[in-house]
Amino acid sequence: MSPETATPTTAQPAKTVPLRATGIDPNHWYVVASDREVTRQPLGVELWGRAIVLYRDTQGQVQALEDCCPHRLVKLSDGRVVGDRIECMYHGWQFDNAGACVDVPYLGDNQKLPTCRIRTYPVRELDGFIWLWPGKLQPGQVLPEPMGLPEWSHLNYIASMTTIDCQGHFSFLIENLMDMYHGHLHQDYQAWASAKLEQLTELPDRVDALYEAQSYYRIDKIWAVAQLFIPAMRKLHPEPLRVSYVYPHWASSLGQEFKIYCLFCPVSATHTRAYLVHFTSLHAFERLHQLPVAIRQWVKDRMFNAAAKLLEGLVEQDVLMIEQEQRSFEADPHRKGPELNPAIAAVQRLIRSQGQSTTAGLAHE
């Protein structure tokens, strides 16, 4: 199917809300932190207007609660964890992992504990990240598993990661990631050239785009990893470049050597956080695969974040463009430039179809 003849399977809802104000669908897993960020010290995060506190209990399990003490409505993340409870900094009220108030230090003999309860959220610790489900659960509802990153623990992949933090609606970042024609921006950071959209497929919950591209990298010998750091070693060769918006996250692959994910945590209509995770394949190194697992794991751990500086350079340039787009939208919401890439219209349809009905709801439920 060519991009000119791709037939979308999702109907576009009535345009009652601007795309750049469209909310998220809460009935999905969002990544709110890396596993290393969550400790016994409370961590405050925000997901589309919801303040959430994360912490680890005495068993090391991650708990997620509304970041608001119901007594004086201050942040629980400013408090501390006592055993399996989280304690408010202001008056010392304590709450268990079910959100119930279980202790008030100055409770009188003739007083009962308040019956107030704060909301809790399902969380999964998977593949280096904390995945949170912000939607409301129905009785007996079984949640699907998070998308996950199968390469995270695989011995044949070296991971690098960085955080994206930009003042802009999440749709700008998704469009940036799906549009492989913006390689002109990145110069020495770029992994590909001469991208051409060959195929576009739309489903109710994802958009898949296949580009034909010229890759700068070929990781087929151990010394070839140096291409990540030395531009003079790179030589162009054709590779398929696949990018997918698997709502609400993004995944891509460049040939057999590289896989990249972007895991989203939209903070608000004007603020987006995400984790960009890059995997370099070691499949081509046959001798490496013959070594004991312990040595291969040591190599994997030792090389973690080897490409972090490369990712940070890409992100810095992309964020500069996204924040300019956001400011231009705010200055004139009705002004639109011409768009020639069909993949952009496809992801816009998906964002609208998933988020239209929840635009006004998530932050105010």
Side-chain angles (χ1 to χ4, degrees):
M1 182 184 300
S2 69
E4 290 75 16
T5 59
T7 302
T9 58
T10 53
Q12 184 173 337
K15 295 183 179 180
T16 58
V17 176
L19 173 70
R20 310 308 179 183
T22 300
I24 66 172
D25 183 346
N27 295 309
H28 290 273
W29 292 102
Y30 293 83
V31 170
V32 293
S34 71
D35 58 4
R36 299 183 182 187
E37 293 176 290
V38 184
T39 65
R40 293 281 289 167
Q41 177 66 34
L43 174 68
V45 299
E46 191 171 354
L47 174 60
W48 202 255
R50 288 192 177 278
I52 299 166
V53 60
L54 307 172
Y55 65 93
R56 292 188 185 274
D57 60 23
T58 55
Q59 304 301 310
Q61 298 297 310
V62 177
Q63 306 296 335
L65 290 78
E66 179 184 1
D67 192 8
C68 182
C69 178
H71 176 214
R72 293 293 181 86
L73 309 183
V74 299
K75 287 184 174 294
L76 288 170
S77 56
D78 289 334
R80 62 174 184 162
V81 177
V82 180
D84 289 333
R85 304 170 178 178
I86 187 165
E87 181 182 270
C88 180
M89 183 184 201
Y90 200 177
H91 291 84
W93 288 29
Q94 293 184 354
F95 299 85
D96 64 16
N97 59 19
C101 180
V102 291
D103 186 64
V104 175
Y106 53 88
L107 191 71
D109 294 338
N110 62 340
Q111 293 179 308
K112 295 182 178 180
L113 281 170
T115 58
C116 54
R117 183 178 293 270
I118 55 178
R119 182 174 176 182
T120 63
Y121 294 90
V123 287
R124 300 281 191 277
E125 184 172 359
L126 177 67
D127 296 333
F129 294 92
I130 308 303
W131 306 71
L132 182 142
W133 184 278
K136 288 188 175 181
L137 300 181
Q138 302 301 320
Q141 181 179 357
V142 178
L143 295 178
E145 286 302 305
M147 179 178 74
L149 308 179
E151 297 82 8
W152 184 263
S153 57
H154 198 295
L155 289 176
N156 283 348
Y157 289 94
I158 304 300
S160 298
M161 59 176 286
T162 192
T163 303
I164 301 173
D165 196 308
C166 61
Q167 302 302 312
H169 189 266
F170 69 90
S171 62
F172 286 122
L173 178 53
I174 283 293
E175 291 174 17
N176 169 277
L177 293 166
M178 292 295 291
D179 186 4
M180 295 297 101
Y181 295 129
H182 84 276
H184 179 76
L185 169 68
H186 296 305
Q187 300 178 14
D188 286 345
Y189 292 117
Q190 184 62 311
W192 74 92
S194 304
K196 179 182 178 183
L197 184 62
E198 294 288 343
Q199 184 173 318
L200 181 63
T201 304
E202 295 184 59
L203 296 172
D205 60 352
R206 66 184 293 159
V207 173
D208 298 288
L210 171 63
Y211 292 84
E212 177 188 282
Q214 295 290 319
S215 173
Y216 284 101
Y217 303 113
R218 175 167 285 158
I219 309 300
D220 54 356
K221 296 179 177 61
I222 192 65
W223 54 262
V225 177
Q227 294 174 82
L228 295 172
F229 319 105
I230 306 174
M233 295 182 64
R234 304 169 191 167
K235 294 183 179 180
L236 288 173
H237 63 280
E239 292 281 11
L241 175 57
R242 295 179 171 87
V243 292
S244 299
Y245 184 20
V246 188
Y247 191 95
H249 306 295
W250 177 83
S252 73
S253 65
L254 176 60
Q256 300 298 316
E257 282 81 25
F258 302 103
K259 294 189 178 183
I260 308 179
Y261 295 86
C262 192
L263 309 176
F264 274 73
C265 178
V267 177
S268 69
T270 57
H271 185 189
T272 300
R273 275 180 55 83
Y275 292 88
L276 190 66
V277 190
H278 176 284
F279 293 100
T280 301
S281 170
L282 301 179
H283 279 90
F285 307 147
E286 294 183 4
R287 292 185 180 180
L288 180 65
H289 303 162
Q290 299 170 9
L291 295 175
V293 169
I295 295 178
R296 295 176 64 191
Q297 186 66 56
W298 180 86
V299 171
K300 180 180 175 71
D301 295 342
R302 189 73 173 174
M303 295 184 68
F304 177 75
N305 259 351
K309 291 298 182 182
L310 176 68
L311 294 182
E312 291 167 5
L314 288 166
V315 167
E316 182 179 357
Q317 293 173 342
D318 283 334
V319 168
L320 178 65
M321 297 295 100
I322 290 167
E323 292 186 345
Q324 288 186 26
E325 289 183 288
Q326 178 68 35
R327 289 193 294 271
S328 294
F329 166 75
E330 292 171 354
D332 187 353
H334 302 291
R335 184 177 180 181
K336 293 182 179 180
E339 179 54 65
L340 303 180
N341 187 350
I344 304 307
V347 298
Q348 291 177 349
R349 284 190 287 268
L350 178 53
I351 290 169
R352 287 188 180 281
S353 67
Q354 290 285 344
Q356 193 78 42
S357 63
T358 63
T359 300
L362 186 58
H364 305 291
E365 285 179 0

